[in-house]
């Protein structure tokens, strides 16, 4: 029952500003949501495992995925609020290249502009074997052209992922993974702030694909910046880009505040409830 309430409340967050303004309903200052699933404090990604409560928080604080699920068509489509345009090319071998132009008004919760480098870093982090060293799961992205050469160290660049300008990137899906009905879903990529997760590391593209340069990203670094149980990005993600930001977490209860820089979803909707409290509860007393 309480899980159902949690789901309904999450929907309310998206629709509150529309329904409230249209019907003249009173606005709420805060909303408390109960869940029977214990929060574990993984507010980063499924790379470190996550239960449904963690995933709920992740959904509320992270955003601007390149693609979204269209339930009407039963397929993934590009998110018009994030992507301003897409060009698709196919070569003689059957490799398909998506050239993606980003909207120019995407920002993190600190006001910093999100660009193509943030999406590229997200991919490079997700496929890094360092994640396994710190207890995570590595994304085996064989669908990206050039992944095998990058993963086994014979190439320093990931050739199938390119940065063409600050606001334009491209990703080439290997012919070996085509045809695939959910092909667009392979571009399920969120931006991640490299300056927070891997300070001193920079994404570069000299014309042959993306790679990391500058400070070397190591397991020791990510244990401090990402998985530290007190201040790591996984448990204290201070800079995100979803509709809410994490204000507090005490091990049982998460407090979320509105992200003033969130532009809204593909429908233009933004939540209107300033504070959301998400806490572990029980079914005791329910009939």
């Amino acid at each position: 029952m309480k899980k159902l309430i949690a789901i309904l409340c999450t929907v309310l967050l998206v629709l509150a500003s529309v329904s409230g303004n249209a019907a003249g309903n009173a606005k709420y200052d805060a909303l408390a949501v109960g869940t029977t699933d214990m929060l574990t404090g993984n507010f980063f990604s499924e790379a470190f495992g996550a239960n449904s409560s963690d995933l709920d928080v992740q959904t509320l604080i992270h955003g601007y995925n390149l693609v979204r699920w269209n339930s009407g068509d039963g397929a993934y489509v590009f998110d018009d609020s994030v992507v301003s345009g897409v060009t698709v090319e196919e070569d003689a071998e059957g490799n398909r290249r998506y050239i993606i132009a980003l909207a120019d008004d995407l920002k993190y919760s600190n006001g910093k502009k999100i660009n193509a480098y943030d999406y590229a870093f997200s991919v490079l982090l997700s496929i890094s074997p360092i994640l396994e060293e710190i207890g995570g799961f590595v994304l085996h992205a064989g669908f990206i052209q050039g992944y095998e050469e990058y993963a086994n160290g014979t190439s320093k660049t990931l050739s199938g992922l390119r940065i063409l300008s600050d606001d334009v990137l491209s990703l080439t899906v290997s012919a070996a993974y085509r045809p695939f009905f959910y092909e667009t879903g392979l571009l399920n990529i969120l931006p991640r702030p490299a300056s927070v997760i891997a300070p001193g590391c920079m994404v570069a593209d000299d014309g042959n694909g993306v790679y990391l340069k500058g400070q070397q990203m190591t397991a020791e670094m990510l244990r401090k910046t990402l998985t530290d149980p007190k201040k790591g990005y996984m448990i204290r993600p201070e800079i995100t880009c979803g509709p809410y930001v994490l204000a507090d977490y005490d091990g049982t209860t998460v407090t979320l505040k509105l992200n003033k820089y969130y532009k809204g979803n593909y429908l233009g909707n933004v939540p209107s409830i300033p504070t959301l409290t998400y806490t572990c509860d029980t079914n005791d007393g329910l009939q």
Side-chain angles (χ1 to χ4, degrees):
M1 177 64 179
K2 289 195 176 182
K3 191 60 183 177
L4 175 60
I5 293 174
I7 295 171
L8 292 175
C9 288
T10 301
V11 174
L12 172 64
L13 294 173
V14 178
L15 300 179
S17 60
V18 176
S19 61
N21 292 337
N25 296 333
K27 292 187 177 181
Y28 297 92
D29 294 327
L31 176 68
V33 180
T35 173
T36 56
D37 289 335
M38 178 70 72
L39 290 158
T40 70
N42 174 17
F43 308 135
F44 175 60
S45 82
E46 293 182 69
F48 292 89
N51 62 25
S52 60
S53 295
D54 294 329
L55 290 174
D56 287 342
V57 176
Q58 289 178 22
T59 301
L60 290 168
I61 65 175
H62 299 293
Y64 298 146
N65 199 316
L66 293 179
V67 300
R68 64 176 179 83
W69 177 253
N70 185 329
S71 57
D73 295 335
Y76 286 95
V77 297
F78 284 98
D79 191 321
D80 293 338
S81 69
V82 178
V83 175
S84 63
V86 180
T87 300
V88 182
E89 301 174 344
E90 190 170 324
D91 63 22
E93 287 74 37
N95 303 300
R96 179 172 287 175
R97 185 188 191 197
Y98 293 86
I99 301 174
I100 304 162
L102 301 173
D104 62 4
D105 57 354
L106 306 177
K107 294 181 180 180
Y108 285 113
S109 56
N110 63 350
K112 182 180 178 182
K113 190 176 186 297
I114 295 171
N115 57 37
Y117 293 89
D118 297 296
Y119 287 90
F121 172 72
S122 182
V123 174
L124 293 176
L125 176 63
S126 68
I127 66 176
S128 172
I130 297 173
L131 288 183
E132 285 187 337
E133 295 184 48
I134 61 174
F137 297 95
V138 175
L139 172 65
H140 296 281
F143 61 89
I144 302 178
Q145 187 179 40
Y147 167 78
E148 297 299 338
E149 294 81 357
Y150 180 79
N152 63 29
T154 58
S155 173
K156 80 166 190 175
T157 65
L158 180 59
S159 61
L161 182 60
R162 297 288 318 281
I163 293 176
L164 307 181
S165 72
D166 284 353
D167 294 324
V168 181
L169 68 155
S170 73
L171 188 146
T172 302
V173 177
S174 173
Y177 280 75
R178 303 185 58 241
F180 180 44
F181 180 77
Y182 296 110
E183 182 176 314
T184 307
L186 298 174
L187 284 82
N188 179 22
I189 307 170
L190 295 168
R192 304 288 188 187
S195 61
V196 176
I197 299 173
C201 296
M202 296 170 287
V203 177
D205 185 346
D206 301 327
N208 298 310
V210 298
Y211 65 98
L212 290 176
K213 69 175 185 179
Q215 182 73 31
Q216 183 179 4
M217 187 170 69
T218 65
E220 181 181 5
M221 172 191 289
L222 294 186
R223 287 192 185 100
K224 293 179 180 179
T225 63
L226 186 59
T227 61
D228 183 274
K230 292 185 178 180
K231 57 183 180 180
Y233 188 84
M234 185 166 70
I235 196 168
R236 303 288 179 187
E238 295 181 353
I239 300 176
T240 53
C241 55
Y244 282 85
V245 295
L246 183 72
D248 186 50
Y249 173 59
D250 63 8
T252 303
T253 301
V254 166
T255 301
L256 305 172
K257 299 287 187 179
L258 284 175
N259 175 8
K260 66 179 181 179
Y261 291 103
Y262 180 65
K263 64 176 285 187
N265 65 3
Y266 70 100
L267 295 173
N269 294 339
V270 295
S272 62
I273 301 174
T275 302
L276 173 65
T277 302
Y278 196 68
T279 189
C280 183
D281 206 338
T282 69
N283 285 323
D284 294 344
L286 291 180
Q287 298 299 320

